[in-house]
Amino acid sequence: GVSAYPQDVTVAMMANFANGGAAISVLAREIGARLEVVDAGSRAQTPIDGVVIDKPRSGTRDFSQQAALDPSDLSFAFACGMRAVERALAEKPDLLILGEMGIGNTTASAAIAAAIIGVPAATIAGNGTGLDAAGRARKAEIIEAALTHHGLREPVPDTQSVLEAVGGLEIAALCGAIISAAQAGLPMLIDGFIVSVAALAATRINGSCRPYLIFSHRSAEDGHRRVLDELDARPLLDLDLRLGEGSGAALALPIVRLACALHNGMATFAEAAVPDRAS
């Protein structure tokens, strides 16, 4: 009851990504980026053409009842993200865009953020994909009860324990991808709430990855601002986006490209023989 949409939407949308009909599919074509879709843990039971399957199990467990992931699931998910970065590095990219899609993953993200930051779930949980006020309150209550159930309130838990207790496989995979890309010296455009929570977890595990993160936008999800503040991040855009998929990061890419062009191509006053300010 934490989402306005059923889990089947996740599987259907993966096929839509691969078929080129999703928002990020269109944006990737327009910006000249190669889109790779990875099934890091969905409930899909059969292969989908154009989708890389790299998951330890089909579906993250219900964290209101039990730990979402066991240690082997978490290790596999980290490695899934690392393998995705390795594939990307083979094409010698200048920058990596990270996105996600998964019904229910704003709930997992809010739980992770509330545990890591140490704030009430009600201050992080948002409306996700269209919950009303009652649905949002129920979502926050479920998260808070789960954090207490898993002992994530006192003392401050370590990040990997948080991911095992309430994390999603795709969030853990993003965390692994962020750490791996930073180790390779590859900058990343971070998308919205879910990817920012993965970035928060990644920086708590390995703080040296923070300089490689460029935050593309501030989403309409309420908890995103709190997560960005925790990361001391100033996003490039603030357009009340809610779609996910990496769409906000794709929109920000032209700004990054233009910034690089100005840095590399714009003449200094001395080079252009322009008088400097009077002394």
Side-chain angles (χ1 to χ4, degrees):
V2 296
S3 176
Y5 292 89
Q7 288 177 317
D8 293 349
V9 172
T10 303
V11 179
M13 280 302 297
M14 280 197 303
N16 193 26
F17 294 151
N19 292 332
I24 191 57
S25 308
V26 175
L27 291 168
R29 289 196 296 270
E30 291 298 315
I31 64 176
R34 184 181 69 84
L35 174 65
E36 179 176 276
V37 184
V38 180
D39 179 358
S42 84
R43 291 184 177 274
Q45 299 299 310
T46 57
I48 298 173
D49 287 343
V51 175
V52 175
I53 300 174
D54 195 3
K55 58 186 177 184
R57 60 194 313 278
S58 294
T60 305
R61 298 179 185 90
D62 179 357
F63 69 54
S64 70
Q65 304 295 323
Q66 58 188 313
L69 308 172
D70 60 36
S72 64
D73 293 332
L74 184 61
S75 295
F76 191 105
F78 280 161
C80 164
M82 293 175 180
R83 285 188 286 269
V85 170
E86 287 173 3
R87 291 191 296 273
L89 288 172
E91 299 186 24
K92 302 187 185 306
D94 296 311
L95 181 143
L96 188 66
I97 289 176
L98 297 174
E100 50 59 49
M101 190 273 155
I103 294 301
N105 65 4
T106 59
T107 301
S109 297
I112 294 166
I116 291 176
I117 300 172
V119 295
T123 67
I124 297 287
N127 296 94
T129 51
L131 287 175
D132 58 16
R136 176 178 170 177
R138 170 180 164 77
K139 179 177 175 178
E141 289 171 5
I142 288 171
I143 293 170
E144 197 61 54
L147 295 180
T148 300
H149 173 69
H150 293 294
L152 297 177
R153 279 314 192 188
E154 294 293 342
V156 177
D158 72 272
T159 300
Q160 290 187 222
S161 295
V162 172
L163 290 172
E164 287 175 10
V166 296
L169 286 163
E170 80 284 34
I171 300 169
L174 284 164
C175 186
I178 289 166
I179 293 171
S180 181
Q183 288 173 336
L186 182 63
M188 291 156 273
L189 265 174
I190 301 298
D191 192 48
F193 178 52
I194 291 98
V195 186
S196 294
V197 169
L200 176 63
T203 59
R204 292 299 173 89
I205 294 170
N206 186 340
S208 64
C209 65
R210 176 63 183 87
Y212 294 91
L213 307 181
I214 304 167
F215 290 84
S216 60
H217 75 107
R218 180 183 291 111
S219 78
E221 191 71 7
D222 289 341
H224 195 197
R225 184 182 299 274
R226 184 69 182 83
V227 172
L228 290 170
D229 287 346
E230 193 72 16
L231 286 159
D232 192 25
R234 297 181 61 189
L236 300 176
L237 301 171
D238 191 347
L239 301 173
D240 284 337
L241 300 175
R242 191 180 286 280
L243 180 62
E245 301 181 10
S247 56
L251 291 175
L253 181 61
I255 295 175
V256 176
R257 283 177 169 165
L258 290 170
C260 291
L262 287 168
H263 177 78
N264 293 328
M266 188 175 174
T268 65
F269 274 13
E271 291 168 339
V274 175
D276 204 342
R277 68 178 70 187
S279 59

